Amino acid sequence: MHSAAMTALGTAWSAVGGDPVLLPRVSTVVREGALSARLPVRELARACVGACALAAAELGARRAGLAEVPEVRLDDGAIATAFVSERHLLVDGRAPVWFAPLSKFWRTADGWVRTHANYPHHRAGLLAGLGVRREDPDAVGAALAERSSHEVEQAVYAAGGLAVALRTPKEWAAHEQAAAVARRPLVEQERLDTARARALPPLDGTPLLPAAGVRVLDLTRVIAGPVATRTLALLGADVLRVDAPQLPELADQHADTGFGKRSATLDLVADRAAFEELLATADVVVTGYRPGALDRFGLSPQSLAERRPGLVVAQLSAWGAYGPWGGRRGFDSLVQVATGIAATEGSAERPGALPAQALDHGTGYLLAAAVLRALTEQREEGHGRCVRLALARTALWLTEGIRPGPRGDVAYEAPDGWLGERDSALGRLRYALPPVSFEGGPGDWTRAPGVWGADPARWG
């Protein structure tokens, strides 16, 4: 593997607490043109998937009593295809529409903002913040054109919507939130208690499923968190996604990230007893709501660990749970705009975007890697653990911490070889196959996504 690529993988592997002696177990098919961008997106993607695959192979080897950790094979083609899995999804031949009409770049009086209004409550917040009464793109555009970018950002967030002003890398570096993000590691890790975790039984048979028998409560939405739990499901975990009944997931988003999982709805107040029953035998809880949003339900890491000693808690946020933006909602597209990525990929006069929602996908695979490594460490040390990742911290790594790798000897061509098809309760699906690959491991999910919220709130 090229030294620059190994450096990126080494950084990711070190961030999740991996032993560098295992890095030679990884090989890569380098493909020219995969995730082509001004920033080293291909190297970021490869490193995050590689850390995840190596963590899976390591845990599998420990549980199966193997003398050696299985070899990990990374292919830029499979990784690039998976990083735009939502674009490859077809449901009965229909291609989904991923961004609502009000979710895009808009000109302001002094520059640009990017909005996110895919969900009804965010759309309502955007309109309220702009003082626009109806969902009319022309009216929204006119309101935005009269205001400065930063004025829009503040007004829309105050109203519960999402809009972020375009910043250059230099402007973001001068922001208090950027300074707060830079003070944190790529993956934050914390010990929660001194209780012994549940011992996972030995593994046998094929394929090797490192997370078999692990129960994962999935309290995430959109892409990054669901990608992490989709990956844990691939590796054998019993993943139950739980959503509030009044906050349905977008149907196509659920189809893309729901592979391997079951989906249930619970009101965390009215159905509290049912949730506590699930928590009592859970091994992992993954959360993806804005920092503090779940604390009032007793779902902070410390509170969860008190009720379920030995638990692994994985938290994901857009901006980090600290600094002046610590309580803000956010999405990949908005983090790209704030952190200078959009200006780098385009310009301050005409913003661009990464070739994939790479902050979401990359952070998702890194989050899965952190969970897998926590499970491995628990076999020797016990203890509940909390791991935290933030899209803005991944963005800092992409913009300042990764060097571009070699061009590659093989071209990235049509992704047909990395796509699968199957029937499901949602219809005939075409989808991106998982990029996490190691010797003896699974090549596809055993379960297709079902109807959102249709499964009972109990373990399989």
Side-chain angles (χ1 to χ4, degrees), residues 230-265:
R230 180 180 72 182
T231 304
L232 295 174
L234 168 77
L235 299 169
D238 182 3
V239 179
L240 179 64
R241 173 164 165 167
V242 175
D243 287 280
Q246 71 274 18
L247 291 175
E249 181 59 280
L250 302 175
D252 292 328
Q253 202 151 256
H254 167 69
D256 178 49
T257 59
F259 281 87
K261 313 176 195 179
R262 288 174 299 111
S263 169
T265 60

Side-chain angles (χ1 to χ4, degrees), residues 175-327:
H175 197 282
E176 287 182 44
Q177 189 62 31
V181 167
R183 288 193 290 267
R184 304 290 176 133
L186 182 59
V187 179
E188 297 180 68
Q189 302 187 52
E190 175 187 354
R191 181 172 291 183
L192 291 176
D193 57 41
T194 57
R196 296 295 299 181
R198 179 172 72 91
L200 298 174
L203 296 177
D204 55 17
T206 55
L208 181 63
L209 298 174
V214 175
R215 289 175 166 175
V216 179
L217 264 177
D218 178 4
L219 307 179
T220 69
R221 293 173 69 80
V222 195
I223 298 178
V227 163
T229 53
R230 180 180 72 182
T231 304
L232 295 174
L234 168 77
L235 299 169
D238 182 3
V239 179
L240 179 64
R241 173 164 165 167
V242 175
D243 287 280
Q246 71 274 18
L247 291 175
E249 181 59 280
L250 302 175
D252 292 328
Q253 202 151 256
H254 167 69
D256 178 49
T257 59
F259 281 87
K261 313 176 195 179
R262 288 174 299 111
S263 169
T265 60
L266 278 181
D267 184 309
L268 290 179
V269 176
D271 301 325
R272 190 53 186 241
F275 179 84
E276 293 300 323
E277 187 175 342
L278 290 169
L279 177 63
T281 55
D283 301 296
V284 178
V285 174
V286 186
T287 67
Y289 291 78
R290 65 182 173 85
L294 296 177
D295 290 4
R296 69 182 186 276
F297 299 109
L299 300 182
S300 69
Q302 292 73 21
S303 180
L304 288 168
E306 287 174 3
R307 306 199 305 282
R308 177 63 169 125
L311 189 69
V312 173
V313 180
Q315 291 188 309
L316 174 77
S317 64
W319 310 106
Y322 41 77
W325 285 13

Side-chain angles (χ1 to χ4, degrees), residues 92-427:
D92 285 334
R94 175 186 59 83
V97 176
W98 291 106
F99 285 98
L102 299 186
S103 298
K104 63 175 188 176
F105 283 108
W106 303 85
R107 280 198 175 276
T108 61
D110 63 347
W112 295 86
V113 295
R114 176 117 193 196
T115 57
H116 197 288
N118 288 4
Y119 292 95
H121 56 300
H122 294 157
R123 194 152 52 242
L126 172 64
L127 296 176
L130 297 176
V132 176
R133 295 187 177 183
R134 65 189 188 281
E135 189 179 337
D136 179 353
D138 291 337
V140 169
L144 288 165
E146 295 175 352
R147 307 187 190 187
S148 72
S149 302
H150 293 281
E151 180 187 356
V152 169
E153 181 179 272
Q154 294 172 6
V156 171
Y157 263 100
L162 295 112
V164 172
L166 177 71
R167 290 173 172 83
T168 64
K170 183 176 180 180
E171 288 170 335
W172 175 244
H175 197 282
E176 287 182 44
Q177 189 62 31
V181 167
R183 288 193 290 267
R184 304 290 176 133
L186 182 59
V187 179
E188 297 180 68
Q189 302 187 52
E190 175 187 354
R191 181 172 291 183
L192 291 176
D193 57 41
T194 57
R196 296 295 299 181
R198 179 172 72 91
L200 298 174
L203 296 177
D204 55 17
T206 55
L208 181 63
L209 298 174
V214 175
R215 289 175 166 175
V216 179
L217 264 177
D218 178 4
L219 307 179
T220 69
R221 293 173 69 80
V222 195
I223 298 178
V227 163
T229 53
R230 180 180 72 182
T231 304
L232 295 174
L234 168 77
L235 299 169
D238 182 3
V239 179
L240 179 64
R241 173 164 165 167
V242 175
D243 287 280
Q246 71 274 18
L247 291 175
E249 181 59 280
L250 302 175
D252 292 328
Q253 202 151 256
H254 167 69
D256 178 49
T257 59
F259 281 87
K261 313 176 195 179
R262 288 174 299 111
S263 169
T265 60
L266 278 181
D267 184 309
L268 290 179
V269 176
D271 301 325
R272 190 53 186 241
F275 179 84
E276 293 300 323
E277 187 175 342
L278 290 169
L279 177 63
T281 55
D283 301 296
V284 178
V285 174
V286 186
T287 67
Y289 291 78
R290 65 182 173 85
L294 296 177
D295 290 4
R296 69 182 186 276
F297 299 109
L299 300 182
S300 69
Q302 292 73 21
S303 180
L304 288 168
E306 287 174 3
R307 306 199 305 282
R308 177 63 169 125
L311 189 69
V312 173
V313 180
Q315 291 188 309
L316 174 77
S317 64
W319 310 106
Y322 41 77
W325 285 13
R328 285 194 175 190
R329 299 177 179 90
F331 295 96
D332 179 304
S333 58
L334 303 182
V335 176
Q336 289 190 40
V337 170
T339 59
I341 290 174
T344 298
E345 290 297 326
S347 67
E349 292 72 36
R350 178 65 64 175
L354 298 176
Q357 295 192 66
L359 306 180
D360 264 336
H361 285 270
T363 306
Y365 288 108
L366 201 56
L367 184 67
V371 169
L372 293 165
R373 289 246 60 260
L375 293 171
T376 297
E377 291 174 357
Q378 281 187 332
R379 291 178 58 81
E380 299 176 358
E381 305 171 16
H383 313 305
R385 298 165 189 274
C386 178
V387 296
R388 297 185 181 91
L389 288 88
L391 302 186
R393 184 60 183 83
T394 303
L396 176 64
W397 183 39
L398 173 64
T399 54
E400 298 186 13
I402 302 177
R403 292 182 290 120
R407 292 175 58 88
D409 301 323
V410 185
Y412 175 57
E413 299 174 350
D416 296 349
W418 302 296
L419 298 176
E421 286 197 24
R422 66 168 70 178
D423 292 319
S424 76
L426 306 176

